[in-house]
Amino acid sequence: MTEIPYRYEPTTTAAAIRADHPDLEPGTETGTVVTIAGRLMLRRVQGKLAFGTLDDASGDHETGRIQLFGLARSTPDFEGFCDLNLGDWIGVTGEVMTTKRGELSVRVDEWQTLAKAQRSFPDKFHGISDADMRYRQRYVDLWVTEESRTAFRMRSTVMSLTRRFLEDRRFMEVETPVFHPIPGGALARPFTTHHNALDMAMFLRIAPELYLKRLVAGGFERVFEIARVFRNEGVSTRHNPEFTMLELYQAYGDYSDMMSITEDLVAHLAMEIHGTTTLTYGDRELDLSAPWRRATMLELIAEHTGLELSLETPIDELRGHCETHGVEVKPSYGPGKLLLELYEKTCEAELWGPIFVTDYPKEVSPLSRDHREQPGMTERFEGIVAGRELCNAFSELIDPAEQRLRFEDQVRQGDAGDDEAMVVDEDYLRAMEYGMPPMGGLGIGMDRLVMLLADVSTIRDVVLFPTLRPEQQ
RNA sequence: GCACCUCUAGCUCAAUUGGCAGAGCAACGGACUCUUAAUCCGCAGGUUCUGGGUUCAAGUCCCAGGGGGUGUACCA
């Protein structure tokens, strides 16, 4: 039985050794003694010599690995070293040197098993191809699949850069409840749970919006939250039941300020991560540089279908156009909802973008403020990139009387069978009644943003543990 | 939810028309003093996702179920 130490103290990493020792001649002995730790990914035993490849967390499959060089005459328990299995974790102390063939290596002068792999690692060359296994056993995937490590490192970088970007603009990060007594802030079906001591139903949040706006009413003029939200919907390459949304609210701003922040943030992330705002997504090029195109929903419908429509268009005519374009409608839909459906089915997927689609009907925007020029419309926009909604933002509705009317309209839609309609949130109205300043609000789907930056086509490649059915016994 | 595809050794994959389930890697035993997915010799490894059916004979065909993938719907 190998004794496993309780702690181990590496003095450096594979990447650092590489960086510190570029271009050594074959057969060099540097005199530098290091201690490193990681996982044995490859092994080549040749009689009285043994070569291993150790991976650690310091880089990718090129930079984050280093060769180990063991010799029968100097490596303690050489037999044991040769018997190590792929997947074992080990610590090694020895001199940094190059082999006769010039490969930078650490000579194994001392070594220590840190973990035995009791299960055999996947094929060292082919890795894992079974998607199911990659998601269920992410702990294996991360070691074996280079792209997977890269994507999740990038995700972490995106979150970190986003925080810094917003803090630099005087936004304050806050945390609001995940358990909501009333689900609100978005149109979606919630997950329900129950609090035993309080004996009450609770809902996992579908959006942090209403709490964040309460904070602005409370005097925190610029707030943001990177919020895990939960929606009880189907799963797909673009949807995971729990996902991460950035929401921010800025007092005294409006939706045009939100467009600027969105453009600047996305371009900033692209520059920091890729050094350019021109990315490849799938097999197409994507230019994220500001400014993004802006067009109203009605303009886009006209562009894609040739139909000049408006909220004044007779409703039967709108229904007819929906039918022509294969859009399913319910009798309860008003003109606003019909226009939105028409836009989504005929335009959205065609927009490679990036583009801000502006001016959404009041009927489908219960939390946005009336458009200052277009009656029946609100000052709302969605950012569409690569045919997908990336963000949603508006000049926030701040008038409690108007908000009450919007809520009541939602209740009517709910009574008419829309199980995603909102309900009246009296406390939110009370907060408004104390006075809520004009503000702009923005929500960005962070998972989808990372997908764009990492050039992956399924959300499961940017969510560490995506929702799956439990494995059968 | 619906449609299509898929499931074979720990991993990656073969298996002709329905005719004895195989290989590489890993593991295990051995050889090898400069390897780079090391190489060589040897050994072992299976409820072919599950359950039914057709057949002399099923990994293969049929039915039902399960997991996964893709598309579609739902999802601002």
Side-chain angles (χ1 to χ4, degrees):
Chain A
M1 184 63 201
T2 321
E3 253 183 64
I4 306 292
Y6 280 80
R7 63 188 302 277
Y8 196 77
E9 206 163 332
T11 58
T12 186
T13 63
I17 293 171
R18 286 183 177 284
D20 291 346
H21 302 280
D23 308 320
L24 289 184
E25 292 294 315
T28 306
E29 297 195 341
T30 63
T32 307
V33 173
V34 296
T35 298
I36 53 172
R39 189 165 220 159
L40 191 67
M41 301 301 277
L42 295 169
R43 193 197 52 187
R44 300 171 290 279
V45 176
Q46 177 156 351
K48 296 199 163 48
L49 299 179
F51 303 88
T53 301
L54 190 78
D55 270 35
D56 65 18
S58 61
D60 60 24
H61 274 27
E62 285 262 309
T63 61
R65 53 172 47 178
I66 190 112
Q67 177 165 275
L68 304 177
F69 181 54
L71 299 96
R73 68 161 184 273
S74 63
T75 297
D77 187 16
F78 182 75
E79 295 271 305
F81 183 77
C82 294
D83 279 347
L84 285 169
N85 285 349
L86 301 191
D88 288 348
W89 295 66
I90 56 173
V92 169
T93 299
E95 183 176 351
V96 177
M97 39 82 68
T98 51
T99 60
K100 282 182 191 168
R101 295 286 171 87
E103 178 81 12
L104 185 65
S105 309
V106 173
R107 195 181 58 227
V108 185
D109 297 333
E110 289 170 44
W111 67 278
Q112 172 73 55
T113 300
L114 301 177
K116 292 296 292 177
Q118 295 172 33
R119 296 172 181 265
S120 47
F121 243 49
D123 189 291
K124 65 187 178 189
F125 184 63
H126 297 96
I128 313 176
S129 71
D130 184 16
D132 188 25
M133 181 173 167
R134 290 190 49 222
Y135 304 141
R136 288 190 198 280
Q137 302 187 39
R138 188 69 88 183
Y139 34 85
V140 180
D141 177 50
L142 288 173
W143 278 105
V144 169
T145 314
E146 168 73 26
E147 301 77 43
S148 192
R149 279 212 228 193
T150 305
F152 289 109
R153 285 209 176 102
M154 189 182 295
R155 181 180 179 122
S156 176
T157 304
V158 166
M159 296 301 172
S160 165
L161 288 170
T162 299
R163 286 194 163 91
R164 213 172 309 150
F165 178 92
L166 292 173
E167 284 160 2
D168 287 348
R169 283 159 185 73
R170 295 187 292 114
F171 284 86
M172 173 176 124
E173 183 168 12
V174 296
E175 293 174 278
T176 64
V178 171
F179 293 133
H180 288 191
I182 300 169
L187 304 174
R189 272 157 51 191
F191 285 92
T192 310
T193 187
H194 184 263
H195 189 288
N196 289 339
L198 297 175
D199 189 24
M200 62 178 287
M202 294 198 131
F203 303 91
L204 300 187
R205 66 180 169 192
I206 55 177
E209 171 150 357
L210 301 186
Y211 282 97
L212 292 172
K213 282 194 271 190
R214 283 174 171 95
L215 294 178
V216 178
F220 288 152
E221 294 178 358
R222 297 183 177 204
V223 294
F224 76 95
E225 180 167 10
I226 294 178
R228 187 73 62 87
V229 299
F230 309 86
R231 297 187 182 179
N232 208 336
E233 297 157 356
V235 296
S236 77
T237 50
R238 269 145 273 141
H239 301 85
N240 197 60
E242 51 179 305
F243 62 101
T244 303
M245 187 131 93
L246 166 69
E247 283 202 11
L248 64 88
Y249 294 85
Q250 177 184 340
Y252 321 128
D254 68 0
Y255 77 152
S256 57
D257 294 299
M258 297 302 103
M259 290 189 220
S260 304
I261 288 189
T262 305
E263 288 169 339
D264 292 348
L265 173 63
V266 172
H268 172 71
L269 293 173
M271 279 306 289
E272 287 291 316
I273 288 170
H274 294 296
T276 171
T277 52
T278 307
L279 314 182
T280 303
Y281 188 71
D283 50 10
R284 289 182 69 177
E285 197 171 87
L286 192 57
D287 182 4
L288 296 172
S289 59
W292 296 2
R293 187 189 166 200
R294 302 173 189 201
T296 68
M297 206 179 85
L298 294 180
E299 286 166 355
L300 288 169
I301 292 176
E303 217 172 88
H304 285 80
T305 67
L307 296 167
E308 299 284 347
L309 304 175
S310 76
L311 291 168
E312 273 71 54
T313 308
I315 193 157
D316 288 334
E317 196 184 322
L318 290 177
R319 290 200 181 104
H321 290 313
C322 282
E323 202 175 324
T324 313
H325 288 88
V327 180
E328 232 175 277
V329 301
K330 290 178 187 154
S332 58
Y333 288 2
K337 178 76 170 163
L338 291 170
L339 287 170
L340 176 69
E341 291 288 322
L342 205 50
Y343 153 75
E344 286 185 347
K345 295 298 183 298
T346 61
C347 308
E348 194 170 281
E350 309 291 317
L351 299 172
W352 186 250
I355 180 174
F356 290 124
V357 182
T358 65
D359 300 358
Y360 283 66
K362 268 167 84 164
E363 183 187 341
V364 294
S365 313
L367 303 170
S368 359
R369 188 164 174 178
D370 283 33
H371 198 285
R372 61 194 89 179
E373 285 158 6
Q374 305 289 329
M377 292 294 185
T378 60
E379 294 199 353
R380 170 182 167 191
F381 71 86
E382 288 188 358
I384 307 293
V385 183
R388 294 170 193 161
E389 179 193 338
L390 180 69
C391 68
N392 184 20
F394 23 93
S395 300
E396 300 291 336
L397 178 55
I398 50 172
D399 173 16
E402 172 67 15
Q403 183 67 73
R404 184 175 291 279
L405 292 175
R406 302 278 189 93
F407 274 149
E408 284 167 354
D409 183 52
Q410 283 291 309
V411 171
R412 272 192 296 279
Q413 294 186 26
D415 292 344
D418 183 351
D419 53 7
E420 280 149 15
M422 292 183 189
V423 296
V424 183
D425 187 332
E426 288 292 346
D427 178 70
Y428 179 62
L429 291 169
R430 181 166 61 188
M432 280 186 159
E433 285 162 7
Y434 278 105
M436 200 176 264
M439 68 176 115
L442 166 66
I444 297 181
M446 295 304 280
D447 310 86
R448 290 185 186 175
L449 181 54
V450 176
M451 285 171 68
L452 285 176
L453 293 168
D455 188 18
V456 301
S457 58
T458 167
I459 196 169
R460 295 182 201 97
D461 286 339
V462 297
V463 173
L464 280 167
F465 298 99
T467 306
L468 297 172
R469 283 195 169 79
E471 259 178 303
Q472 279 188 310
Q473 284 309 317

